[in-house]
Amino acid sequence: MNRPVRVAVIGGGQNCEHDVSVASAAAVADALDPTSYDVVALTIGRDGLWREANGWPIGLAGALHVLGHCDVVLPVVHGPRGEDGTLAALCDLAALPYVGSGLGAGALAMDKWATKLVAGELGIATAPGVLLTPATSGTVRWTHPAVVKPVAAGSRQGVSLVRSPEQLAPALAAALAIDSRVLVEDLVEGREIDVAVLGRPDGSRVVSPALEIVVDGIFDFDTKYGGGADFRLPALLGEVERKALEDAAVAMYDGLGCSGVARIDFFVTEAGPVLNEVNTMPGLTEQSQVPKMFAAAGLSYAELLDTLVRDAVATGVR
């Protein structure tokens, strides 16, 4: 292809991660080399309405018309109705190549309960926990420190640390305000360490240097975006710890059927790695964790994006 690759960058989304997705998409669009890429920016509003870069509403039918004239789609929409496989399914139906995981992997990874079940089959530890709904949330009793979280949300939205009985009900209410299913998991005492995996079209896997998140308490939304976390990159790990983390990350990536890049979050304990969650469309600003991790390995932000888009073009329609 001699002309620039026409890539549709989709941001926003009809979920609680809308602003984060807008920031990621804007950063991606700015970083793609204009000599190699003709960027077409689309935004999904909080109301679900699709808009062009100038804010003009075009709706889904108009968006499909625009997408049909693009070579590849880069859906930078975190959370439900985006990262959960929704946009991947749209691209599949429209026979469009796209960056990232497909419907199955997106749906499984977004569902933290399903992810726990996959991890269990792979022999990867997760925190003991229970699945609750509005009908069953009143049955749980606090007995020890726990973390309450929505089953299908990202950016640590609705996540609470519960250290005393009186904190449980408000934590459940906060999580249930975002999702109809919540997890109550035992608090894991360990270092919080992330690993990113990049799958290439030839089946090879590139694993990033590990990044450690040091916080006072839990890494929730306010801490993540308020600057209260200390990122240590590369994380200080022994060879055995590093190998165990990388093996578990690749196993989860392959077990869920991921494509493109995914971030796999762990707690490193004395007994080994404990899986926290898998993000199939992690934050993609230059200051986000995944770009930082690959930059530490010598792959710049622009090079990472170029790799993702060109790999999607090479893979073609799935």
Side-chain angles (χ1 to χ4, degrees):
M1 186 179 296
N2 295 323
R3 61 176 175 81
V5 175
R6 198 162 198 231
V7 53
V9 177
I10 305 174
Q14 198 176 5
N15 61 57
C16 60
E17 294 189 75
H18 177 91
D19 291 340
V20 178
S21 299
V22 167
S24 282
V28 167
D30 287 343
L32 287 169
D33 182 356
T35 64
S36 300
Y37 297 105
D38 177 16
V39 175
V40 177
L42 295 171
T43 301
I44 304 172
R46 289 186 179 85
D47 56 0
L49 182 62
W50 290 67
R51 292 178 170 84
E52 293 181 307
N54 59 9
W56 186 260
I58 57 174
L60 178 58
L64 285 171
H65 177 75
V66 172
L67 292 173
H69 290 84
C70 293
D71 301 306
V72 61
V73 180
L74 206 174
V76 196
V77 179
H78 312 304
R81 299 185 183 180
E83 185 179 355
D84 60 357
T86 307
L87 286 177
L90 180 68
C91 292
D92 284 334
L93 289 171
L96 294 167
Y98 57 93
V99 174
S101 293
L103 168 61
L108 282 172
M110 179 57 63
D111 188 313
K112 295 180 178 63
W113 181 253
T115 300
K116 287 170 73 75
L117 298 178
V118 173
E121 290 299 313
L122 294 173
I124 298 170
T126 62
V130 294
L131 177 68
L132 300 172
T133 66
T136 60
S137 62
T139 63
V140 67
R141 295 291 180 267
W142 184 90
T143 57
H144 51 269
V147 176
V148 177
K149 63 180 73 171
V151 167
S155 289
R156 310 299 174 110
Q157 294 270 16
V159 178
S160 301
L161 173 59
V162 177
R163 292 192 179 275
S164 59
E166 63 273 12
Q167 294 177 326
L168 181 59
L172 289 169
L176 287 169
I178 293 175
D179 195 355
S180 60
R181 296 181 302 151
V182 301
L183 278 172
V184 179
E185 295 182 326
D186 291 358
L187 177 64
V188 176
E189 298 291 348
R191 300 164 63 194
E192 187 161 356
I193 295 182
D194 300 345
V195 178
V197 178
L198 172 64
R200 304 303 307 277
D202 63 2
S204 63
R205 305 288 180 251
V206 180
V207 182
S208 75
L211 177 149
E212 181 172 6
I213 302 166
V214 180
V215 295
D216 181 14
I218 61 170
F219 189 42
D220 58 10
F221 182 86
D222 291 337
T223 304
K224 184 172 185 177
Y225 296 104
D230 177 16
F231 291 164
R232 298 180 183 177
L233 178 65
L236 184 61
L237 296 166
E239 183 61 25
V240 173
E241 286 180 319
R242 183 192 62 78
K243 183 67 164 55
L245 274 175
E246 291 183 355
D247 288 349
V250 172
M252 285 305 305
Y253 182 99
D254 289 337
L256 293 169
C258 297
S259 300
V261 70
R263 195 189 75 231
I264 299 91
D265 302 346
F266 295 95
F267 298 105
V268 174
T269 71
E270 293 183 357
V274 175
L275 177 71
N276 186 18
E277 62 182 32
V278 177
N279 297 268
T280 55
M281 180 45 69
L284 276 182
T285 71
E286 190 168 6
Q287 299 307 311
S288 298
Q289 289 143 264
V290 167
K292 279 181 172 290
M293 286 189 271
F294 280 107
L299 189 67
S300 73
Y301 181 50
E303 289 169 335
L304 173 62
L305 297 177
D306 182 72
T307 298
L308 289 170
V309 175
R310 293 199 178 277
D311 281 357
V313 172
T315 300
V317 178
R318 304 181 196 182

